[in-house]
Amino acid sequence: MEKFAKDLHGGGAGLAASTVNDRMVLVAAVLEAAVVDKWIPDNPARASGCPVRDAPVVDEDEIPTPGEVDLIAEHIAPQCRLTVCLQSGTGR
């Protein structure tokens, strides 16, 4: 995890510290959700000192329907369409 953060910040990506922190929080949250769902035994982000948030509870009423996702994708910039479709299935 620490090498991943360093690579994001100073390596090829060269991202700002605040952007790296945002990415690490997201990775830690995904790993935490995997622990909760028993896909992995423990969250390696915890040992690294990475900021860890509890996995968010999903409100079923806030999840867009497949038709709503398609509508959003139709009206967003073409380069972002795939992201909308992929994220619609992640619950994030």
Side-chain angles (χ1 to χ4, degrees):
M1 293 300 294
E2 291 160 1
K3 181 178 179 335
F4 176 60
K6 285 179 186 174
D7 287 349
L8 286 175
H9 184 62
L15 300 175
S18 61
T19 303
V20 172
N21 184 63
D22 291 346
R23 301 303 186 270
M24 296 306 291
V25 167
L26 176 62
V27 169
V30 168
L31 291 169
E32 192 63 25
V35 170
V36 169
D37 290 342
K38 301 193 182 342
W39 290 351
I40 58 175
D42 60 305
N43 183 345
R46 285 185 191 158
S48 71
C50 214
V52 178
R53 294 185 196 165
D54 291 334
V57 176
V58 176
D59 181 350
E60 297 291 329
D61 293 332
E62 292 185 14
I63 299 173
T65 66
E68 291 169 331
V69 171
D70 291 342
L71 188 61
I72 293 166
E74 285 175 25
H75 290 87
I76 200 161
Q79 68 270 23
C80 298
R81 287 187 184 137
L82 179 59
T83 301
V84 169
C85 296
L86 291 173
Q87 288 182 337
S88 72
T90 66
R92 304 268 180 233

